[in-house]
Amino acid sequence: MESIPRIISVDDHTVEPPHVWSDRLPAKFRDVGPRIVRAPVKEMTFVGGRFTPVMGDPGDGGPEADWWIYEDLHRPLTRLDTAVGYSRDDVRLEGITYEQMRPGSFSVPERLADMDRNHVQSALCFPTFPRFCGQTFTEAKDRELALLGVRAYNDWMVEEWCGPQAHGRLVPLCIVPLWDAGLAAAEVRRNAARGVRAVCFSEIPPHLGLPSVHTDAWDPFLRACAETRTVIAMHIGSSSRMPSTSADAPPAVGSVITFANCCFSLVDWLMSGAFERFPELHIMYAEGQIGWIPYVLERADVAWEQNRAWGGVADKVLRPPSELFAEHVHGCFFDDAFGLRSLDAIGAGNVLYETDYPHSDSTWPRSKEVAEQQMGHLPPDVIERIVRGNAIELLGLTEEGLWAHAAG
């Protein structure tokens, strides 16, 4: 028997191929919808948690990249989008073309081959150009086009990325029009009808100019997720603001504290009353790691017990936050030895494994070895739950860990 069963990764990424929107938008929008152009990189910085690229003119010379163009947005593909196969010392902030990335980033057959090499059976993939919760479309001016862009991405995700050639091994994760909770609910239901069980959401919606989870503004969306058993998946950076300490802090500072927004977000949800209103709701935090969770739960319980009378939650949070966490929340990690030593304080049923392919933090192609090193002290049944069993239950996969609704 394998010491580590075949992995189901709940946080990988797809780099969308150039045709996603040009093939699916109505003809009148194809020249203004998301499209790829090749152009020089004039300047690119990532300081204080903010990514700032500047596209040069074709005659400027210098290194070229493939850029997504959409309204006022000019977003290059970068080495950070797809770093697997490169030495960590060679992974720099630079623009790249499709030819310069590992084909598994955007090609289904190549992705499956790279999953085989990494002991991964199935994978749930977050977007790249739409960003981690589709905020690219939320920030757009033309709402009609933005809604079509959301739907086009979801159709591509379900029908092509997770279509017949994936053999059920790629699990769909959709986006929603965050600017309208009613439209978001409709998109959840549209995709749930074809077997989708996960949807992206922002870890801290007010950072995107949207209502917080302490309001009832999201109730149509939350109700749709609860009724369809669609998991709300929040990736680090899904509030378009990576944690940092100062405007001049180097990216390494943010790399250490990437979990911080997950921490803040978790407290928001635990104190929001959402789990009381929607008992079937489940949320998960992608790439946030898990070692920070025990103290936050301890502190949340103390604050709830001692301060709820004046803290504004007595009438809506009726049980200790740690109980709500146990029933509704799932933390995801790819490299967290400390968190695994603290598993009893988190809950083996609340932890999922990921590989983060093809990002610079990815453990590919050593995800199995990392798991063996960090989970060696755990009994086999607990290891099985973490690396695949919990994902099967949460995402409604088959007993074999596959997406049952893959066409063909």
Side-chain angles (χ1 to χ4, degrees), residues 53-67:
V54 179
M55 187 173 76
D57 294 324
D60 289 347
E64 289 189 324
D66 283 334
W67 294 72

Side-chain angles (χ1 to χ4, degrees), residues 39 79 129-130 147 150 168 188 202 230 238 249 263 267 270 277 285 287 326 351 359-360 372-374 396 408:
R79 179 55 64 209
F129 169 72
L147 181 58
V150 167
V188 167
S202 173
T230 297
S238 57
C263 175
V267 177
L270 293 177
R277 298 197 308 278
Y285 288 99
E287 206 172 323
V351 174
H359 282 184
S360 59
E372 288 172 338
Q373 292 165 8
Q374 298 189 353

Side-chain angles (χ1 to χ4, degrees), residues 120-401:
V120 172
Q121 178 191 0
S122 306
L124 184 80
C125 297
F126 282 83
T128 297
F129 169 72
R131 311 217 298 282
F132 295 146
C133 67
Q135 60 264 55
T136 293
F137 294 108
T138 298
E139 295 167 356
K141 300 182 183 72
D142 186 334
R143 291 296 196 215
E144 179 188 5
L145 176 55
L147 181 58
L148 290 170
V150 167
R151 290 174 175 167
Y153 175 83
N154 291 337
D155 290 344
W156 170 80
M157 167 62 62
V158 173
E159 298 165 6
E160 187 171 333
W161 184 252
C162 301
Q165 63 177 336
H167 307 294
R169 297 180 62 189
L170 295 173
V171 182
L173 172 62
C174 288
I175 58 177
V176 295
L178 292 170
W179 61 89
D180 186 310
L183 289 176
E187 190 63 12
V188 167
R189 295 184 190 281
R190 181 176 84 94
N191 292 303
R194 46 185 178 174
V196 177
R197 287 282 300 275
V199 63
C200 300
F201 192 66
S202 173
E203 58 200 352
I204 307 178
H207 285 349
L208 303 179
L210 300 170
S212 80
V213 296
H214 298 289
T215 72
D216 61 3
W218 294 108
D219 281 11
F221 167 70
L222 300 183
R223 183 174 296 109
C225 291
E227 290 177 355
T228 61
R229 297 192 64 81
T230 297
V231 181
I232 296 176
M234 292 171 282
H235 195 284
I236 60 166
S238 57
S239 56
S240 295
R241 190 183 302 179
M242 292 297 288
S244 189
T245 55
S246 62
D248 60 350
V253 172
S255 183
V256 173
I257 57 175
T258 51
F259 71 91
N261 282 350
C262 299
C263 175
F264 298 158
S265 175
L266 175 59
V267 177
D268 255 353
W269 281 89
L270 293 177
M271 298 298 184
S272 70
F275 299 135
E276 304 282 1
R277 298 197 308 278
F278 303 104
E280 299 302 318
L281 196 63
H282 287 267
I283 67 174
M284 58 173 269
Y285 288 99
E287 206 172 323
Q289 313 303 339
I290 59 175
W292 53 273
I293 291 174
Y295 174 71
V296 170
L297 294 181
E298 177 184 284
R299 178 59 193 163
D301 279 357
V302 170
W304 177 81
E305 183 69 38
Q306 296 183 356
N307 303 332
R308 64 181 183 269
W310 62 266
V313 297
D315 60 342
K316 60 180 181 179
V317 182
L318 308 181
R319 291 186 293 153
S322 61
E323 292 185 13
L324 299 174
F325 175 90
E327 295 178 11
H328 299 275
V329 185
H330 308 266
C332 312
F333 77 101
F334 56 81
D335 185 358
D336 192 342
F338 179 82
L340 288 166
R341 293 196 298 271
S342 310
L343 192 61
D344 287 346
I346 302 169
N350 298 84
V351 174
L352 306 169
Y353 199 46
E354 58 189 28
T355 77
D356 197 30
Y357 179 105
H359 282 184
S360 59
D361 273 340
S362 178
T363 52
W364 185 93
R366 299 186 59 257
S367 299
K368 177 186 176 185
E369 288 77 7
V370 172
E372 288 172 338
Q373 292 165 8
Q374 298 189 353
M375 300 185 199
H377 64 291
L378 299 173
D381 63 317
V382 173
I383 294 174
E384 192 278 338
R385 291 186 71 182
I386 292 172
V387 302
R388 60 183 289 112
N390 291 335
I392 289 173
E393 180 178 353
L394 187 64
L395 299 173
L397 306 180
T398 67
E399 291 183 4
E400 295 76 24

